[in-house]
Amino acid sequence: MSIEIEEITNKFEELSLTEIDDIKDYLISHNIPLFRLDKEKGIVEFSTEQLSLILDNPKYANLKLYIPKNFKVFVKEFKAIKENEKSNLLNSNYVFKTPKECEEELDKRIKEIGKMTYEDKISIIETYNRELKEVKVDERTKINRNTAQQIVNAGNDVGLIAKVTMFESMKKIKDNEISQDQAKIENQEITETTSALVTTIVNMLSYNTETQKVFTELRNYSDGGVMAHSNRVFISYVNFLTFYNNLIKRRHLVHNIRTVYEKVYEKYYDKIIETVGGKYKIYDNLKTVEDCIDQGIKSVEEQEMYSYSVGALLHDVGKVKDLDYFEGADGRDYERIKKHLFNSYKLVSQTSEYPLEVILTVALHHEYYGLGYGPYEKLHNMKVEKYQGFQIQRIMSYNAKAIDDCD
């Protein structure tokens, strides 16, 4: 296949490996699309998770990577943030820690939590909540760096408390010391206090979406561990939900989308049906927005937002220590990746009484319209067994029970 260079230069810009190396963490965390040239397929996507394999390898010194021109603005922003961070580091008390030091520190904290009484764990969560409630944040008073660090510390610690507690309960269940129902009762207070803390943080973050910038500045100080990743997802998730709700409330926006739906948007939903229709029985008469989205486009309700946010914080709670997203030169090991999804789903659903929105956020965070690699297919099959002739009524729904109402 001949590659049209003119077409590539019209749509993409080349990034040098030096440029990429300097902002690698930002490209990965923001999931910025990168591409490379393939002799047979032309321009093909290049996973950002493989960057660490090529950047320090002389074998790939001449590799050319490309970014869509409409994403180049992010590169400029990342470079500016990087320069600002370098300047700030000169005047900060931050002490760099190696991955090994971070791992040792994390293991130490997990062991400390493992020795705590249940009351100690509750006290820690309540203290974080009380201290954050005392911080003034409103439309005029934004989250500063110190407050952002408080939120990060709270998220990390509470996430670890949840992780340790759930694993302890699961061991008791497997050893027949307690039942799932007894585990949920035992952990009820941690469930409630964790939810209360998340509600406090969501309310703080929801005043404005600009708070993402101060957390982005803290990203370089992350240890790269599972809880640090979960924290970033949690904070980004809340900011997105806030942005989405604000967008939906704009005057005439939903009406305008509905008006041009058939001309502009219907083809994209038809494409989804074409892709997954062979795997799932789906209602395919998609002539209106409401045919695609149950109840049409609407904002996410306050209580749902709190629940989804808890799910975002706990979404990787079942990850085992040696499980990484990328498994060396052979690429992703999807079987190992899937393991943490089922682990997380079982932990949250069997050891705590969280709402269905929390459980499904944890379970389905690697799904994409039923084509991901989480428990969705199993949940769908359970529903088909329970309801003969079951058909998926909408491509999208705001109701968690549309996905899972099986016992």
Side-chain angles (χ1 to χ4, degrees), residues 197-213:
L197 173 64
V198 168
T199 297
T200 298
I201 296 174
V202 169
N203 289 338
M204 296 173 76
L205 296 173
S206 295
Y207 279 110
N208 60 78
T209 55
E210 293 300 308
T211 54
Q212 184 68 43
K213 291 182 179 179

Side-chain angles (χ1 to χ4, degrees), residues 157-284:
D157 230 16
V158 172
L160 287 176
I161 288 172
K163 185 184 184 80
V164 171
T165 304
M166 288 180 187
F167 270 100
E168 288 173 347
S169 295
M170 187 59 75
K171 186 177 185 305
K172 290 180 182 178
I173 292 171
K174 288 181 177 178
D175 292 343
N176 294 318
E177 294 179 26
I178 59 173
S179 66
Q180 290 183 26
D181 288 339
Q182 287 172 321
K184 292 177 181 180
I185 293 171
E186 283 186 3
N187 295 333
Q188 185 62 31
E189 200 169 355
I190 282 184
T191 300
E192 291 173 355
T193 51
T194 299
S195 298
L197 173 64
V198 168
T199 297
T200 298
I201 296 174
V202 169
N203 289 338
M204 296 173 76
L205 296 173
S206 295
Y207 279 110
N208 60 78
T209 55
E210 293 300 308
T211 54
Q212 184 68 43
K213 291 182 179 179
V214 73
F215 288 100
T216 299
E217 291 179 4
L218 291 175
R219 182 174 287 118
N220 263 18
Y221 303 164
S222 163
D223 61 17
V226 172
M227 281 317 306
H229 162 75
S230 297
N231 237 333
R232 291 196 296 272
V233 170
F234 163 57
I235 291 162
S236 298
Y237 194 83
V238 174
N239 278 333
F240 169 75
L241 288 178
T242 301
F243 168 79
Y244 170 81
N245 277 350
N246 290 338
L247 190 67
I248 293 303
K249 291 172 185 175
R250 286 184 183 177
R251 189 177 181 186
H252 302 315
L253 176 63
V254 175
H255 171 75
N256 291 341
I257 292 174
R258 186 180 288 114
T259 301
V260 301
Y261 165 80
E262 193 168 0
K263 181 179 179 181
V264 177
Y265 299 107
E266 183 183 2
K267 60 186 177 184
Y268 297 107
Y269 290 100
D270 286 338
K271 184 67 175 177
I272 293 173
I273 295 294
E274 180 185 330
T275 304
V276 303
K279 189 173 184 180
Y280 303 107
K281 188 177 180 182
I282 306 175
Y283 175 80
D284 58 3

Side-chain angles (χ1 to χ4, degrees), residues 20 68 83 87-88 109 124 169 193 245-246 252 276 288 302:
I20 291 173
E83 287 303 314
S87 175
N88 287 340
R109 185 56 178 160
I124 289 173
S169 295
T193 51
N245 277 350
N246 290 338
H252 302 315
V276 303
T288 68
E302 186 177 65

